[in-house]
Amino acid sequence: MGATRTAAGATAAATATATGTAAGATLKDATAIAGIGQTPFAKRLPESEKTLACRAILAALDDAGIAPSEVDAFASYTMEETDEVEVAKAIGAGDVTFFSKVGYGGGGSCATVAHLAAAIATGQASVGVAWRSRKRGSGPRPWTNTRAQLPTPAQWTRPYGLLRPADEIGLLARRYMHEYGATRDHFFNVALACRNRANQNPAAIMYDRPLTREMYMTARWISEPLCLFDNCLETDGALACVVVSAERARDCRQRPVYVHSAAQGLPAQHHGMVNYWNDDPLTGPSWTAARRLWKTADFGPQDVDVAQIYDAFTPLIPLSLEGYGFCGRGEGAAFTEGGALEIGGRLPLNTGGGGLSEAYVHGFNLITEGVRQLRGTGTAQVPGATTCLVTAGEGVPTSALLMRS
Amino acid sequence: MTQLDTTTGATTDTTTAATTAATTAANGGGEGSDGLLAPVPDEDGAPFFAYAARGELRVQCCADCDEPRFPPRPCCPHCQSFDCLWKKLSGRGRIWSYVLPHPPLLPAYAAQAPYNVVLVELADAPRIRLVGNLVASADAALNSVPPERIRIGAPVKAAFHAADGGLTVVRWLLERP
């Protein structure tokens, strides 16, 4: 199956390459992720974010078999403290002809790959690197930030005690539960699926820490209705991936993982981290990104073998399942029942452990895990997986990728 | 700039209101003596707090097409007009959702935790929802209403609390305490 699907992917890629930059050109399979790299994940790492970034990027280039001097494009997303000037200089990149930084923190993860893919497909660059380096395990916490100037939108939320993202998502989660009968057991299904996968992944922070329903139900509250296990892990660590043309990728060390479709999403009348002021706050940016994502894809949600869905908080999963079309409106919680998100289930989820149980590095580990699944090298491998959805932060202006082998 | 208040028929000088709030805001921004964060209004949001200081709940409306909008901004997303007025509302609404934050939190909030944060859908402008706190009285603590009394759909009315930072924030009381 793998060989057949690879041939199909290669054919599609060749077609896309042949059409090149002509009018009507598409991103579809024109580029591929050829290398991935990461540092260890830990609550605390001694090295600086810049050092960690360089380690991850060099590991990704080594994985691809591409020399650092060939890198001519960089993409990152905001809240990244290591900028492309420093990184390019440190790793010994050549002349850089494309760089971009996507806004809205965790919503930008997938867009970095999309920007590189667009740049390479249109001839603006040939070897692109996207990365994330983060020391939040030992870094600043939102609830210690008192004196800093409040960002303008926060005048409507923060003084009232919506201090942390968990508080903002908790407000949406409560309404979601009220409107659709979602329960804490549904959120537990999400937390458990991620934890079970982390228990198979030696690189995961929660590798040796199984989760039970009793632990979940008796855990301390963070922001009711969200408990400790509904929240991601603040982690130190860095990751990177290398994007090249599909043609080039076929000559690299690893099996190419094609960038099949990509989209960003900022819904009409959206507002920063939360959209309480939209007509319909329970349809977030994922809905907007999804419409574009599927429009330019050769397959639909029913054909996705494995999903890496941004999981800073468990309720984001049912909301995203609805947004990306895996089920109908209000059906996301029920979708998680019966082991649907486990290996062998309807939609295996966050197979490295995700932000909830592998590492919370603003979602970049979801991209690298998606690549591993399509290479067939996941620690919790979905047998024969050839298609993968990866999403960025829901709630904020977001982005998503469809990848195929 | 004098603009018509369409609810009361009175005229309202929004420029003065905005200036007052902006001046006050310069004194806020950090934590007050109660440790809670004071809002830092921007130019568009300042009138909201200025009216709150007078005990009025007002929202920005388009002066041309009458469409209310929140949060405040320079022009109307429906008709692109830059003319606005601040319409006085009844101050009534219903709880759309709520959350109960627990520590770790900023010290002053942690001291009152678990407290509530409610999202109130306004009766006169159903698509506008305001974040606030449900309290037993305007100046009571953030945890002054027991959590078991809070439910989605409960009718509430606006109350006005002069925060330590010098600004007045809108809080919410149960209609049927």
Side-chain angles (χ1 to χ4, degrees):
Chain A
M1 169 170 164
T4 318
R5 292 289 194 97
T6 305
T11 308
T15 308
T17 307
T19 54
T21 56
T26 162
L27 269 194
K28 192 186 295 173
D29 302 324
T31 62
I33 297 177
I36 53 174
Q38 70 190 48
T39 66
F41 303 130
K43 189 85 175 164
R44 281 179 182 70
L45 291 174
E47 294 185 317
S48 71
E49 285 188 345
K50 197 197 294 187
T51 302
L52 295 173
C54 293
R55 288 195 188 282
I57 291 169
L58 290 173
L61 287 163
D62 184 58
D63 185 51
I66 293 175
S69 59
E70 285 199 67
V71 175
D72 57 3
F74 286 96
S76 64
Y77 47 121
T78 53
M79 300 170 80
E80 174 61 48
E81 298 296 322
T82 308
D83 68 36
E84 57 275 349
V85 171
E86 292 300 318
V87 168
K89 193 163 54 179
I91 67 163
D95 289 346
V96 175
T97 57
F98 179 91
F99 41 94
S100 84
K101 191 168 218 170
V102 186
Y104 309 102
S109 59
C110 293
T112 60
V113 173
H115 286 203
L116 292 174
I120 291 163
T122 54
Q124 298 175 75
S126 56
V127 176
V129 164
W131 81 99
R132 188 53 151 197
S133 180
R134 211 165 143 80
K135 291 192 71 174
R136 283 296 290 276
S138 54
R141 299 303 187 100
W143 57 88
T144 64
N145 182 11
T146 48
R147 307 302 302 187
Q149 175 72 30
L150 301 176
T152 292
Q155 69 189 294
W156 308 111
T157 55
R158 206 158 186 260
Y160 307 98
L162 280 188
L163 301 178
R164 309 158 299 183
D167 305 319
E168 296 174 320
I169 299 301
L171 210 41
L172 278 188
R174 174 89 67 182
R175 180 69 191 193
Y176 183 75
M177 295 166 90
H178 171 82
E179 208 154 303
Y180 297 119
T183 65
R184 293 191 66 215
D185 263 308
H186 291 120
F187 298 155
F188 168 65
N189 290 340
V190 173
L192 182 66
C194 291
R195 182 62 63 89
N196 286 342
R197 300 296 81 73
N199 294 157
Q200 295 172 263
N201 174 9
I205 301 262
M206 292 296 181
Y207 174 54
D208 51 2
R209 308 265 298 269
L211 178 68
T212 65
R213 185 174 181 278
E214 191 194 350
M215 285 165 69
Y216 177 91
M217 290 298 170
T218 57
R220 67 185 170 90
W221 295 113
I222 298 298
S223 202
E224 286 179 62
L226 302 184
C227 74
L228 180 66
F229 297 114
D230 293 309
N231 291 263
C232 58
L233 307 162
E234 290 286 13
T235 312
D236 288 6
L239 305 100
C241 67
V242 179
V243 182
V244 295
S245 71
E247 193 176 17
R248 172 75 188 264
R250 287 192 283 278
D251 295 329
C252 290
R253 280 182 188 155
Q254 305 287 350
R255 178 175 171 181
V257 169
Y258 296 98
V259 178
H260 182 70
S261 178
Q264 291 180 261
L266 194 175
Q269 296 296 306
H270 191 69
H271 180 94
M273 172 77 192
V274 289
N275 62 349
Y276 307 139
W277 301 288
N278 269 10
D279 286 358
D280 185 358
L282 294 179
T283 57
S286 64
W287 291 73
T288 303
R291 278 190 288 273
R292 172 64 60 178
L293 191 72
W294 297 121
K295 190 175 179 179
T296 58
D298 288 348
F299 56 91
Q302 69 283 359
D303 306 309
V304 170
D305 295 328
V306 57
Q308 315 293 336
I309 300 181
Y310 197 93
D311 59 344
F313 307 102
T314 55
L316 298 184
I317 301 300
L319 290 170
S320 297
L321 290 170
E322 296 173 19
Y324 286 98
F326 293 100
C327 58
R329 172 80 191 265
E331 296 172 356
F335 187 99
T336 68
E337 294 169 1
L341 307 179
E342 305 284 341
I343 298 291
R346 201 166 153 195
L347 186 69
L349 177 83
N350 298 2
T351 42
L356 286 164
S357 281
E358 182 187 29
Y360 183 61
V361 275
H362 260 164
F364 209 95
N365 54 326
L366 301 174
I367 300 174
T368 53
E369 173 60 18
V371 170
R372 274 189 284 268
Q373 284 288 329
L374 298 186
R375 286 178 177 179
T377 61
T379 50
Q381 181 63 39
V382 174
T386 61
T387 57
C388 179
L389 167 72
V390 187
T391 78
E394 167 65 339
V396 288
T398 193
S399 53
L401 288 175
L402 284 176
M403 309 193 302
R404 69 188 301 176
S405 58
Chain B
M1 179 166 53
T2 301
Q3 292 171 335
L4 186 66
D5 174 338
T6 54
T7 304
T8 62
T11 52
T12 307
D13 185 339
T14 53
T15 308
T16 305
T19 307
T20 306
T23 307
T24 314
N27 302 324
E31 36 185 312
S33 61
D34 62 2
L36 301 180
L37 296 169
V40 182
D42 60 1
E43 195 176 307
D44 296 315
F48 179 89
F49 294 97
Y51 287 120
R54 304 180 192 176
E56 296 177 0
L57 177 66
R58 293 191 184 229
V59 297
Q60 188 187 34
C61 291
C62 178
D64 287 319
C65 77
D66 205 36
E67 189 74 25
R69 60 184 191 256
F70 190 88
R73 72 204 74 161
C75 57
C76 174
H78 298 273
C79 76
Q80 286 70 44
S81 167
F82 282 77
D83 295 327
C84 72
L85 48 77
W86 284 76
K87 191 180 285 186
K88 188 176 178 183
L89 303 182
S90 66
R92 296 184 188 276
R94 284 180 186 277
I95 294 176
W96 189 86
S97 190
Y98 67 98
V99 70
L100 303 171
H102 290 245
L105 292 157
L106 294 174
Y109 292 88
Q112 301 186 44
Y115 56 90
N116 71 74
V117 185
V118 294
L119 191 55
V120 174
E121 192 156 65
L122 300 180
D124 314 322
R127 286 179 297 120
I128 292 181
R129 305 177 190 94
L130 298 180
V131 174
N133 303 108
L134 187 68
V135 287
S137 63
D139 300 320
L142 300 184
N143 59 2
S144 53
V145 174
E148 59 272 19
R149 302 239 34 217
I150 309 171
R151 62 171 181 85
I152 289 177
V156 294
K157 59 192 172 198
F160 301 89
H161 168 70
D164 283 355
L167 288 176
T168 297
V169 297
V170 177
R171 289 180 167 181
W172 300 92
L173 310 174
L174 286 169
E175 287 262 27
R176 293 188 289 271

